[in-house]
Amino acid sequence: MLFRSPAERGVPPVTVTQSGENWTIAGSHTTVTLNGADLSLSVRRGGTEWRMLPSSDGDLLAGIDTTRVKLRLADARKREVSKYFSGYSTGVKVALSGYASGGKSLDLAMQLFVTLETPEDELVCRIVPSEKTAAVKECRWPGGFAPGSTDFTVVPFMQGMLLPVNWPRKVWLYDTMSWGRGLYMPWWGHMKGKSAALVILETPDDAGCVFEHPAGGPTAIAPKWVHSLGKLGYPRSARICFFDTGNYVDMAKRY
């Protein structure tokens, strides 16, 4: 039996390097840098840089019996970052465990995967939970694009919304879960100059977004993964597609 190389199997060339806490995943078109300490991401595509927010307080909500505990995803006492290759995607795996609250350890672990896939270097962020006596009620990762770093936000809110970053009035969604009036379809995107970025919730059930646009902006929107029958239960995945030149039409076509 002949074992073909990744290139022969159609897997795009991707390299993974480490410098301190930063892990760089470099494809043919896109370069992604993950900070393993705070779980922030930065992406360079062409001449455009996209910055995504780090882990923050409350982005992980755990449940023990009837008690709810707010945690910070990046506050795991044990963290192991390593290269990852699945056969069709290449990137980094982050294993998180050792969460605690009130001096008590929580029997909970998370695996995060940051990979590039397809010849277009699409960024895929996956969450795989390991829940035992503690369960995940909600997780918010990856962080949204840094507020104020984009020009427009596109949301399939009812007939569709193209929202300037500095829109003078407060904006809210009727519902922030997939398939509702706020997200008719499980995606949203941003425009920055001539470039664009599209976020697709690949596991849209039990998923939605966290959205905020105060009067005058800026806009903040990020994925929100909620429990199913009391726990996260199954892997969750978001795919982020970048366009050197693109707008809301390109986003809708890609979706």
Side-chain angles (χ1 to χ4, degrees), residues 15 18 22 31 33 40 49 70 86 88 90 110 120 122-123 129 134 154 157 165 193 212 232 238 251 254:
T15 59
Q18 178 189 8
N22 291 324
T31 299
T33 300
S40 63
E49 182 176 6
K70 287 186 176 182
S86 69
Y88 62 90
T90 305
M110 304 286 281
E120 290 302 316
E122 295 178 344
L123 171 61
V154 180
F157 171 35
V165 65
E212 182 179 7
L232 212 61
M251 296 180 198
R254 171 60 187 86

Side-chain angles (χ1 to χ4, degrees), residues 5 12 20 23 39 45 77 86 104 130-131 139 157 160-161 172 178 196 201 209 223 226 254-255:
S5 68
W23 291 74
L39 305 180
R45 171 84 179 213
R77 293 177 178 177
S86 69
K104 295 183 178 180
S130 178
E131 301 158 290
C139 183
F157 171 35
M161 177 173 67
W172 63 93
S178 297
L201 301 180
C209 69
V226 301
R254 171 60 187 86
Y255 170 75

Side-chain angles (χ1 to χ4, degrees), residues 130-195:
S130 178
E131 301 158 290
K132 296 181 181 178
T133 55
V136 177
K137 300 301 182 181
E138 183 174 302
C139 183
R140 302 179 179 184
W141 183 83
F145 291 98
S149 66
T150 61
D151 300 328
F152 294 89
T153 297
V154 180
V155 183
F157 171 35
M158 299 183 69
Q159 290 85 0
M161 177 173 67
L162 178 62
L163 179 63
V165 65
N166 58 353
W167 184 252
R169 300 181 63 180
K170 179 179 179 179
V171 178
W172 63 93
L173 306 181
Y174 291 124
D175 182 9
T176 58
M177 295 297 290
S178 297
W179 318 121
R181 294 183 73 189
L183 284 178
Y184 270 26
M185 295 174 283
W187 66 268
W188 59 85
H190 302 277
M191 295 161 57
K192 183 177 182 179
K194 294 182 179 180
S195 303

Side-chain angles (χ1 to χ4, degrees), residues 242-254:
F242 297 92
F243 306 84
D244 294 328
T245 302
N247 55 29
Y248 60 90
V249 176
D250 300 287
M251 296 180 198
K253 286 182 175 180
R254 171 60 187 86

Side-chain angles (χ1 to χ4, degrees), residues 11-116:
V11 178
V14 177
T15 59
V16 179
T17 57
Q18 178 189 8
S19 177
E21 293 287 2
N22 291 324
W23 291 74
T24 300
I25 309 163
S28 300
H29 312 285
T30 306
T31 299
V32 180
T33 300
L34 164 73
N35 184 297
D38 64 14
L39 305 180
S40 63
L41 293 165
S42 63
V43 180
R44 180 166 292 279
R45 171 84 179 213
T48 304
E49 182 176 6
W50 303 86
R51 293 181 295 108
M52 301 175 71
L53 294 173
S55 176
S56 60
D57 291 337
D59 60 4
L60 180 62
L61 180 63
I64 309 168
D65 296 325
T66 58
T67 303
R68 297 292 183 269
V69 178
K70 287 186 176 182
L71 306 170
R72 179 172 174 262
L73 188 60
D75 279 346
R77 293 177 178 177
K78 184 177 180 180
R79 172 171 49 91
E80 183 178 349
V81 186
S82 59
K83 295 181 181 180
Y84 174 80
F85 177 64
S86 69
Y88 62 90
S89 62
T90 305
V92 169
K93 170 186 173 181
V94 184
L96 302 170
S97 60
Y99 290 101
S101 176
K104 295 183 178 180
S105 297
L106 303 180
D107 196 359
L108 172 68
M110 304 286 281
Q111 291 183 341
L112 310 180
F113 297 85
V114 180
T115 61
L116 289 178

